[in-house]
Amino acid sequence: MLAKRIIPCLDVTGGRVVKGVNFVELRDAGDPVEIAARYNEQGADELTFLDITATSDGRDLILPIIESVASQVFIPLTVGGGVRTVADVRRLLNAGADKTSFNSAAIANPDVISEASGKYGSQCIVVAIDAKRRSVEAEQVLDAQGQPVGPGWNVFSHGGRKDTGLDVLQWAKDMAQRGAGELLLTSMDKDGTKSGFDLELTRAVSDSVSVPVIASGGVGTLEHMADGITKGGADAVLAASIFHFGTFTVAQTKQYMAERGIAVRL
Amino acid sequence: MTARHTLAVVDYGSGNLRSVWQAACHAALDSDWNVVLTHDAQVIEQASRVILPGQGAMADCMRELRESGMLEPVLRAAASKPLFGVCVGMQMLLEHSEEGDTPSLGLIGGQVKRFQLEGRLQADGSRYKIPQMGWNRVTRPDSRPEHAMWRGIPDGSWYYFVHSYYAELTDQSHCVGETEYGAPFACAIARDNLFATQFHPEKSADQGIALYRNFLSWNP
């Protein structure tokens, strides 16, 4: 049976892997190859590198990191953050990434997903969706039929700063149809709270699309990780801080999941 | 150490070729093998062993293989020396793929078909997703002796898959490894000097590297 995946996420900026404390203090987390190798030894099923560099000048600094990790650690590597064009996909794949994750650029130009997946295959195109539950006011916004859109979640862009007005479920279906091979779903309401995934959101998206869904945002305990799969219906769970700060290892997470009857690669 | 043998990874523009090359280089550390990424017909001609990677759409892979001038060297290699096909590189060895209705190399009898799993649920109640993306166990058919490429690798080891199409073999004796996604299917196939996997050894950590290492010493 296909195993559910555990994916540690590493933040990268200025060519370094860093760990952030509430996005304020960035501390050097060490050598990227060493970190990647350690997660690999613990049984990580994939690794995601998120480039949090704000400027395009700094962006290319992730390429040597991906190159060195890819030459030493032989599990799938995803790169997200600042991926905008088909040319970006090519450069990252050439550096050794297996998948590239689009976010704001897909919202600005949805065709880039069709183009990139047409050229390199949907297996390497991930679309990251930052979702936030609609406010009472946002529920009153009229849809194309003139009806209030009602409860649900909206897609946010630009690192969660801008409400696009797009409905998450519609957007998820649209992206899958255009060739996204996987969706990385982050709940902005839950992100950083350590109170667990937004399970209702995860379940709703997972049931809406036929491509795999990675749940992200809000993990504080091992139970949260397992719930993302058993209750949220996610195919994979992604977490950053609980692994970086050593709260739990990937191995402990998998052990716990196995005890809960979840198929994991041990 | 002097490199006495060459393992050629065929470069016809496939997306996973660098990963395959790097993993094969890693497998060849401390050996007398030289692993080269090449689109030079002569290098493939002179190589002792060949890996045929493949990723993306089948029709594109077949076209690029042809247009890069690599088709003939690959066919000659397949006729004479150990050749390892990976993912679409495996699918190309069969006769035909449903993906883009594409005729392929016809070196092993069989068809490549799309998973028909829409609306079906997995054992744990979650729905089947396409592509199959992630780690799955590979088991050996118990009806036959184990294929030499599995030496030292435990039965049921986990390998990384990403695919929407799978192989349906004409002759089941060519199946040397199975996995289950909706139904059991052949994810490792072999005939004489040919060995190929649907999964990605280059992304399957230690057991993937072990498979590439075995390829260096396999004597079909």
Side-chain angles (χ1 to χ4, degrees), chain A residues 19-30:
Chain A
K19 36 186 178 186
V21 186
N22 298 329
F23 299 97
V24 187
E25 238 181 288
L26 291 175
R27 285 191 281 156
D28 201 70

Side-chain angles (χ1 to χ4, degrees), chain A residues 1-5 45-46 70-71 74-76 94 98-99 123 182 206-207 209-211 235 264-265, chain B residues 18-19 22-23 26 55 124 126-127 129-130 132-136 158 160 162 181 202-205 209:
Chain A
M1 173 166 189
L2 182 65
K4 303 297 179 183
R5 289 167 284 154
D45 296 309
E46 297 185 17
S71 66
F74 302 101
I75 56 175
N94 285 345
D98 299 287
K99 309 182 197 179
Q123 85 290 337
E182 190 165 54
S206 191
D207 286 347
V209 293
S210 63
V211 298
D235 302 280
V264 286
R265 176 179 69 110
Chain B
R18 267 191 71 89
S19 302
Q22 280 181 321
H26 198 76
Q55 195 170 49
D124 65 1
S126 62
R127 60 188 281 190
K129 298 299 179 81
I130 295 173
Q132 164 168 236
M133 189 181 285
W135 299 77
N136 207 333
W158 295 91
Y160 189 80
V162 186
Y181 198 63
E202 71 279 8
K203 289 291 155 188
S204 298
I209 299 295

Side-chain angles (χ1 to χ4, degrees), chain B residues 165-183:
Chain B
Y165 294 80
Y166 67 97
E168 202 174 81
L169 296 172
T170 309
D171 178 351
Q172 286 310 311
S173 73
H174 294 141
C175 172
V176 297
E178 281 184 332
T179 198
E180 179 152 352
Y181 198 63

